[in-house]
Amino acid sequence: MSQFDGISSQQYRRVPILFVDTKAKLRQAITLINKAGQHDEKLPIVFASLVNREFRELLTTANTAIIIDPFAAFIGPLSEVLQLTPKSVVGLSHGVGEADKYDSRVDAVNFTLATDDGSCPDRCAQADLILVGVSRSGKTPTSLYLAIHYGLYVANYPLTEEDLMGEGLPKPLQPYRGRLFGLNISPERLHNVRERRKPGSRYALLETCRQEINRAKAIFVAERIPSLDTTLVSIEEISAAILQKTGITPRHV
Amino acid sequence: MSQFDGISSQQYRRVPILFVDTKAKLRQAITLINKAGQHDEKLPIVFASLVNREFRELLTTANTAIIIDPFAAFIGPLSEVLQLTPKSVVGLSHGVGEADKYDSRVDAVNFTLATDDGSCPDRCAQADLILVGVSRSGKTPTSLYLAIHYGLYVANYPLTEEDLMGEGLPKPLQPYRGRLFGLNISPERLHNVRERRKPGSRYALLETCRQEINRAKAIFVAERIPSLDTTLVSIEEISAAILQKTGITPRHV
């Protein structure tokens, strides 16, 4: 929707209809869609990712709605290239191996929680990646996102005042040079974030933020730690950029 | 790929190429794709979500590859329905309001971390949702997923032996009946998960798992707590099903 001028998120309602895997649920969905159209006196736009061809056809004929099928762009061309007929069966992408994948993602989340906020030294040897940055630069949510989505063991290390005033790389990080990634943020943004947390504190002062960030940047440059400015970048994009810049292979996708 | 028989994940390599937002990066991507095709002596299949029409055309003409454009299924039909021309500008879905959205997701993650594993009573009043279940039923990763993706304040409460042996709903949960959601899991699966964590313990015994789960289920039924069996369901699906069953509106999507 963001590709169309003049359509703001206030102008449409998003109604997710999930797990339509039986005909009864399909009928419910069709009723819901038709009612919404009548209520709004507008044609509903339905994004339907039904893999079952019969369901797709039933939906298309039963509704007074615009049906957009994102799978249509994939399944047909892939079928031609691979010279195979699609199975049109629901839920196949969550089959065999799902339990292992689940376990490994949960292990990654547990590792990330256990090593959050610098409780690193002993267990960092196991980390795929160690995020480094000043307090409130986005380390915790990013490390959890990477753990949940990619099964990566991500530790994080907050640069303390002592670290920032010291010489070179903080000692606990020295054995792990190759696995470090720095997160940066603009001083103004950091100031806002910290003000919300500890209003009026020295910690939140713009000047404190500016000094800490300058020192953190200097460390990243001097120690050749790849880094990223997270100001106005979403957690998804930060995570993707980290994978891209480090070349780390996800354990699971 | 799961829709095609005989294609296993061992038979193809996934190479993500991210942030192609300049012509220089597009040229790098094209080189990479062509090299991959020559190396494998197979036509690469490229899923290209480029919104910039010029980039899409350059990619299509420059490569010896199958180009599949997931956006083609959306943009054209939407353009017709809305009677608007797409802007074809990169990065629009991450624009204004991103900082607020980021803050609110981070707040949700922090809340979820602070209330993880039953440190609930004082702060549960703020929770949108409280996940309830026996130890290792998937509460922590699910609550973090819901916080990161939907900005929801999700607490979780582990049913202890005392809770399971007691009468009715555990006392700390009584003020929050309307916000509870139960997670269940098969005894066999729980046994495997716990064995990996504490091998040979009474805690991990199949019989212990069976008893705890039966009691948890009985509580969910007696107290009319909506619940879900998480065995072999991915974290994404558990989360989507919880939203569906509770009708909770995401704070952010």
Side-chain angles (χ1 to χ4, degrees):
Chain A
M1 282 300 187
S2 61
Q3 288 297 321
F4 296 98
D5 256 331
I7 306 279
S8 81
S9 59
Q10 275 80 52
Q11 287 175 279
Y12 56 90
R13 277 186 307 141
R14 254 179 65 136
V15 182
I17 309 179
L18 305 168
F19 306 113
V20 181
D21 51 9
T22 64
K23 276 202 188 164
K25 289 188 195 167
L26 181 65
R27 275 191 296 269
Q28 282 176 16
I30 289 170
T31 307
L32 192 68
I33 294 164
N34 285 335
K35 274 194 188 153
Q38 282 157 20
H39 178 270
D40 294 348
E41 296 182 357
K42 288 241 156 81
L43 278 185
I45 303 175
V46 179
F47 295 86
S49 59
L50 294 164
V51 292
N52 181 314
R53 193 175 311 140
E54 192 194 346
F55 280 27
R56 275 208 306 263
E57 281 162 12
L58 282 172
L59 179 68
T60 311
T61 54
N63 272 290
T64 321
I66 316 292
I67 312 285
I68 293 179
D69 179 359
F71 275 18
F74 293 72
I75 297 291
L78 275 179
S79 175
E80 247 174 71
V81 179
L82 302 171
Q83 301 193 295
L84 289 168
T85 310
K87 285 182 278 188
S88 302
V89 173
V90 170
L92 290 174
S93 61
H94 309 280
V96 182
E98 194 63 32
D100 284 349
K101 183 173 159 184
Y102 181 89
D103 286 344
S104 114
R105 290 167 83 183
V106 172
D107 287 346
V109 169
N110 288 337
F111 175 85
T112 294
L113 292 175
T115 54
D116 188 32
D117 214 24
S119 39
C120 176
D122 297 339
R123 302 189 55 188
C124 268
Q126 270 185 276
D128 294 314
L129 180 73
I130 304 166
L131 300 181
V132 182
V134 302
S135 166
R136 300 286 123 187
S137 55
K139 300 180 300 297
T140 298
T142 305
S143 53
L144 286 168
Y145 187 93
L146 287 164
I148 291 181
H149 284 268
Y150 301 115
L152 290 172
Y153 283 49
V154 185
N156 72 71
Y157 183 92
L159 293 168
T160 62
E161 210 163 353
E162 205 187 322
D163 295 328
L164 292 168
M165 293 304 127
E167 287 288 312
L169 198 63
K171 209 161 176 200
L173 295 178
Q174 287 178 8
Y176 309 113
R177 282 178 183 273
R179 283 179 256 175
L180 307 180
F181 193 94
L183 295 187
N184 255 315
I185 183 170
S186 80
E188 291 74 21
R189 171 94 180 109
L190 184 62
H191 165 63
N192 288 338
V193 171
R194 288 184 173 181
E195 264 296 322
R196 290 176 59 240
R197 203 172 160 86
K198 296 191 182 167
S201 64
R202 187 179 148 273
Y203 163 82
L205 278 180
L206 183 57
E207 192 44 39
T208 309
C209 294
R210 207 187 305 272
Q211 281 173 9
E212 288 191 17
I213 285 165
N214 283 342
R215 274 296 302 152
K217 271 190 191 162
I219 293 175
F220 298 156
V221 171
E223 305 293 329
R224 303 189 184 189
I225 299 171
S227 69
L228 184 75
D229 190 310
T230 66
T231 314
L232 297 184
V233 182
S234 69
I235 298 171
E236 287 85 347
E237 288 174 303
I238 298 169
S239 303
I242 290 172
L243 292 187
Q244 174 100 327
K245 285 192 172 205
T246 59
I248 289 178
T249 313
R251 295 195 183 207
H252 283 293
V253 179
Chain B
M1 284 299 185
S2 61
Q3 289 296 323
F4 296 98
D5 257 332
I7 306 279
S8 80
S9 59
Q10 276 81 52
Q11 287 175 280
Y12 56 90
R13 276 185 308 143
R14 254 178 67 134
V15 182
I17 309 180
L18 305 167
F19 305 112
V20 180
D21 51 9
T22 64
K23 278 204 187 165
K25 289 187 196 167
L26 182 65
R27 275 191 296 270
Q28 282 175 15
I30 289 170
T31 307
L32 192 68
I33 295 164
N34 285 335
K35 273 194 188 153
Q38 283 158 18
H39 177 272
D40 294 349
E41 296 181 357
K42 289 242 155 75
L43 277 187
I45 302 175
V46 180
F47 295 86
S49 60
L50 296 164
V51 292
N52 181 315
R53 194 175 311 140
E54 191 195 347
F55 280 28
R56 274 209 305 263
E57 281 161 14
L58 282 172
L59 179 67
T60 311
T61 53
N63 271 290
T64 321
I66 316 293
I67 312 285
I68 293 178
D69 180 359
F71 275 18
F74 293 72
I75 298 291
L78 274 179
S79 176
E80 249 173 70
V81 179
L82 302 171
Q83 302 193 293
L84 290 168
T85 309
K87 285 183 280 189
S88 303
V89 174
V90 170
L92 290 174
S93 61
H94 308 280
V96 183
E98 193 64 32
D100 284 349
K101 182 173 160 183
Y102 181 88
D103 286 344
S104 114
R105 291 167 81 183
V106 171
D107 287 346
V109 168
N110 288 337
F111 175 85
T112 295
L113 292 175
T115 55
D116 188 34
D117 215 22
S119 38
C120 177
D122 297 338
R123 303 189 54 189
C124 268
Q126 272 184 274
D128 295 314
L129 181 73
I130 303 165
L131 299 182
V132 182
V134 302
S135 164
R136 298 288 121 187
S137 55
K139 298 181 300 299
T140 298
T142 304
S143 54
L144 286 169
Y145 187 93
L146 287 164
I148 291 181
H149 284 267
Y150 301 115
L152 290 172
Y153 283 49
V154 185
N156 73 70
Y157 183 93
L159 292 168
T160 62
E161 209 162 353
E162 205 186 321
D163 294 329
L164 292 167
M165 293 306 126
E167 286 288 311
L169 198 62
K171 211 163 177 201
L173 296 178
Q174 288 176 8
Y176 310 113
R177 280 179 185 274
R179 283 179 255 175
L180 308 179
F181 193 95
L183 294 187
N184 256 316
I185 183 171
S186 80
E188 292 72 21
R189 172 93 181 107
L190 185 62
H191 165 63
N192 288 339
V193 171
R194 289 183 172 182
E195 264 295 323
R196 290 176 58 240
R197 202 173 160 85
K198 293 191 183 166
S201 65
R202 185 178 149 274
Y203 163 82
L205 276 180
L206 183 56
E207 193 44 38
T208 309
C209 294
R210 207 186 305 272
Q211 281 173 10
E212 289 191 18
I213 284 165
N214 284 341
R215 275 297 301 152
K217 271 190 193 162
I219 293 175
F220 298 156
V221 171
E223 304 293 329
R224 300 186 187 193
I225 299 169
S227 68
L228 184 76
D229 190 310
T230 66
T231 315
L232 296 186
V233 182
S234 70
I235 298 170
E236 286 86 347
E237 288 174 304
I238 298 169
S239 303
I242 290 172
L243 291 188
Q244 173 100 328
K245 287 193 171 205
T246 59
I248 289 178
T249 312
R251 295 196 183 208
H252 284 293
V253 180

